[in-house]
Amino acid sequence: MNINPNSASMLNLMDRSNIEKTSKDLENADDERLREVCQDFESIFLNMMMKEMRKNVPDSGIVEKSQGSLIFEDMYMEELSKEISKSENGIGLAKEMYEQLKNNEKVIIR
């Protein structure tokens, strides 16, 4: 196969506007991925915080909690923390982390 640098496909790839567009698309994808990672971190933080808070609430009631109800409570707290972090601002941790990491251009998230 003969590759000629003057071919239309090579010129198209070497076109500066295409390179800039591809660069912008990658930046937007990286920004979105960074935002997702920050929200995931906030979700994990909230989940850990709620579990620790739950330890300080005494169990009440006549019947002891079953293993199933304990698993359900853990799953509920996990989903609740995900939904809180996905809300507009969550608790603000993800937003602040995003701003801090966005200003640091050397961060690479895969």
Side-chain angles (χ1 to χ4, degrees):
M1 182 172 153
N2 187 10
I3 298 176
N4 185 358
N6 293 329
S7 68
S9 62
M10 284 300 282
L11 289 175
N12 191 23
L13 286 174
M14 295 169 57
D15 185 18
R16 184 166 180 84
S17 62
N18 276 348
I19 293 171
E20 288 175 359
K21 182 180 181 292
T22 304
S23 175
K24 287 289 185 190
D25 290 344
L26 287 174
E27 280 181 28
N28 291 339
D30 287 344
D31 284 349
E32 186 60 33
R33 181 69 181 132
L34 179 61
R35 193 176 305 276
E36 288 174 14
V37 169
C38 291
Q39 283 181 340
D40 289 345
F41 181 84
E42 182 178 78
S43 173
I44 292 168
F45 176 79
L46 282 169
N47 190 23
M48 292 173 63
M49 185 176 72
M50 284 194 271
K51 283 183 180 180
E52 291 301 314
M53 288 174 19
R54 181 73 182 121
K55 287 180 184 178
N56 293 321
V57 177
D59 288 336
S60 62
I62 299 171
V63 181
E64 288 186 35
K65 289 187 178 180
S66 68
Q67 188 65 25
S69 64
L70 294 174
I71 291 171
F72 177 78
E73 283 181 6
D74 283 345
M75 290 170 54
Y76 176 72
M77 283 189 277
E78 185 176 336
E79 289 301 314
L80 185 62
S81 62
K82 286 179 186 177
E83 288 302 315
I84 292 171
S85 68
K86 287 181 184 177
S87 66
E88 188 174 335
N89 287 326
I91 61 171
L93 180 63
K95 181 181 175 186
E96 290 300 318
M97 283 181 60
Y98 174 78
E99 293 299 326
Q100 288 284 323
L101 294 173
K102 180 69 177 151
N103 292 332
N104 185 1
E105 301 275 333
K106 296 177 185 176
V107 174
I108 299 174
I109 298 175
R110 304 215 181 240

